[in-house]
Amino acid sequence: MPLREADAIILRSYPLKESDKIVSFYTREYGKLRGVCRGARRPKSGFGGALEPLTHVRMQFFERPNRDLCTVDRCDVVASMLETASRDYTISVGLSYIAEIAEKLLPEREVQDAVFRLMLVVMAALRDGAPIWLPLLYDQYWNVRLAGFLPDFSYCAACGAALVEMAGYHPATGEGLMCPDCQHPASSHLGATSLRLAQAMARTPLPQLLTSAENAREAFADLRGLLHERLEAHLEHPLQSWRLLLQA
Amino acid sequence: MNDLAAPLTELIDQLKRLPGIGQKSAQRIAFHLLRAPRESVQHLSEALLALKDSLRFCSVCNNITDIDPCRFCSDAQRNPAVICVVEEPHNVLSIEKTRQFDGLYHVLHGAISPLQGIGPDQIRIKSLIERLRATSPDGQPLVREVILATDPDTEGEATAMYIARLLKPLGVKVSRIAMGIPVGSEIEYADEVTMLKAMEGRREL
Ligand SMILES: [Zn+2]
Ligand SMILES: [Zn+2]
């Protein structure tokens, strides 16, 4: 029964029995795991707020042979999102969406340092007071990209022309973005502002992108929708928090 | 397990489904009931059925009750100007234990949980807003303060944020209990002193 120590981000927790919790967490060293935290729902448990979604923690746990669940022994907060989530309702729903993407998209026990770093960057921006919408978009973009199903935002998938003013795409077909000449009749559209942002996200760190964050909720609604569709098409399951995010 | 008579096995299986009851406790209870006089077992079974048959939700505050409106809502000694909002009926008990709160309650029966797809419409927020619209004969609002005592975790906090945002335009004072209760735990487990401090230290939103 080896004791392991890891840098981890809490993705989700569920109540278990009287006073325990099951927690799903993403470790830098071992990938995504699930574990039992005994007594975690009691006030004097020692876990405190460490098991809330998106808390960055230093974690100690035991893995047992042939068991899916490990036993979490200790969990120390490195950085919490609770205060950020308490800023307003919209941020808290946005954070749930970010946690849900990771929880559903990441395969168990697969190490992907880039995803781990992505989450740290997104959360740091939000803790620094950034409004939710641009970091959320950045999180969607890089998750889709790292999972390998990002469309080309620069050139038409049919004729190769540069995409500038507008691009069409058809969620059902799963084909790439197309220029106005090639697109299907019933296409959804991505405007010039979103195209530019998507192109910039490939090479610009999040803190620099934040300067264009103004009005990001409305300005990039089309891009957010497209990335969400890609995620759901890949997952083959709806992301529960999306509906609440639209209303938040 | 097959060494036991079938009715005993069945009872033990049923008891084991209860929270906090394992195989050993279930056996102990089952053998205790076996030895107990028939009337006392009958009282127990009647009490269990009465629980299901006679209890319902209060039409005002959604608390579990056998009379409608419930004892809190129909108690003239209590202060109708303050409403304390909680997630679950058993949270009312935790706040009553402090003996300091004399207002009324509103039970949401859950919390907003985006990860579970539970939105504002799935818990009892609408009826809270309706209660706040009530006015006295001279047109003054009856409710002056709403205390949000949802759990101090992400879901409880999201629920509090959402309600606070809804109530702001109504001009009622909205406060949130202090985080004297450790974050991530549940109000159900808070002792009286902690709960009292949380209520006293509430901050206006
Ligand atoms: Zn084209
Ligand atoms: Zn009532």
Side-chain angles (χ1 to χ4, degrees), chain A residues 182-199:
Chain A
C182 301
Q183 70 184 30
H184 299 294
S187 287
S188 305
H189 294 120
L190 207 59
T193 333
S194 285
L195 273 175
R196 270 200 301 279
L197 180 73
Q199 290 160 7

Side-chain angles (χ1 to χ4, degrees), chain B residues 91-127:
Chain B
N91 298 147
V92 169
L93 295 179
S94 306
I95 293 169
E96 281 300 296
K97 274 194 300 192
T98 67
R99 297 169 198 276
Q100 292 297 313
F101 179 70
D102 68 348
L104 302 180
Y105 291 98
H106 189 89
V107 183
L108 297 170
H109 290 275
I112 296 177
S113 170
L115 289 173
Q116 293 178 65
I118 300 174
D121 298 342
Q122 273 93 14
I123 58 174
R124 302 185 183 211
I125 293 179
K126 258 189 211 121
S127 54

Side-chain angles (χ1 to χ4, degrees), chain A residues 48-242:
Chain A
L51 302 178
E52 295 302 305
L54 297 183
T55 311
H56 180 192
V57 294
R58 195 75 205 148
M59 191 180 255
Q60 288 184 346
F61 57 94
F62 294 98
E63 290 227 67
R64 287 178 295 176
N66 309 321
R67 290 280 186 93
D68 223 22
L69 288 174
C70 58
T71 305
V72 179
D73 188 48
R74 208 192 144 117
C75 206
D76 297 313
V77 177
V78 178
S80 167
M81 294 307 285
L82 210 70
E83 221 181 286
T84 308
S86 311
R87 280 213 313 261
D88 82 278
Y89 176 66
T90 313
I91 293 186
S92 108
V93 180
L95 288 171
S96 295
Y97 181 72
I98 290 171
E100 192 178 3
I101 291 176
E103 157 77 354
K104 294 204 168 137
L105 189 64
L106 297 171
E108 303 240 332
R109 294 172 192 270
E110 210 173 277
V111 180
Q112 267 182 290
D113 203 54
V115 176
F116 196 89
R117 279 181 281 124
L118 166 67
M119 294 185 78
L120 293 188
V121 163
V122 168
M123 294 189 299
L126 291 168
R127 270 198 308 275
D128 284 350
I132 184 76
W133 299 104
L134 204 92
L136 184 138
L137 207 54
Y138 191 80
D139 185 80
Q140 284 179 304
Y141 174 93
W142 277 102
N143 267 300
V144 172
R145 178 158 173 173
L146 292 167
F149 44 98
L150 189 76
D152 187 345
F153 285 99
S154 298
Y155 301 102
C156 171
C159 73
L163 298 171
V164 187
E165 282 308 313
M166 189 267 277
Y169 70 98
H170 206 288
T173 65
E175 289 173 301
L177 296 171
M178 294 184 200
C179 72
D181 294 335
C182 301
Q183 70 184 30
H184 299 294
S187 287
S188 305
H189 294 120
L190 207 59
T193 333
S194 285
L195 273 175
R196 270 200 301 279
L197 180 73
Q199 290 160 7
M201 276 199 290
R203 48 176 200 276
T204 319
L206 179 59
Q208 273 155 264
L209 288 171
L210 286 172
T211 49
S212 56
E214 215 172 296
N215 198 28
R217 180 173 195 167
E218 292 76 21
F220 305 118
D222 49 0
L223 180 58
R224 192 163 55 243
L226 178 149
L227 292 168
H228 175 74
E229 275 163 14
R230 288 282 149 149
L231 284 165
E232 283 200 339
H234 181 80
L235 291 169
E236 296 175 352
H237 284 295
L239 290 161
Q240 296 282 0
S241 42
W242 177 252

Side-chain angles (χ1 to χ4, degrees), chain B residues 58 60-61 63 69-70 73:
Chain B
C58 170
V60 180
C61 71
N63 197 2
C70 73
C73 291

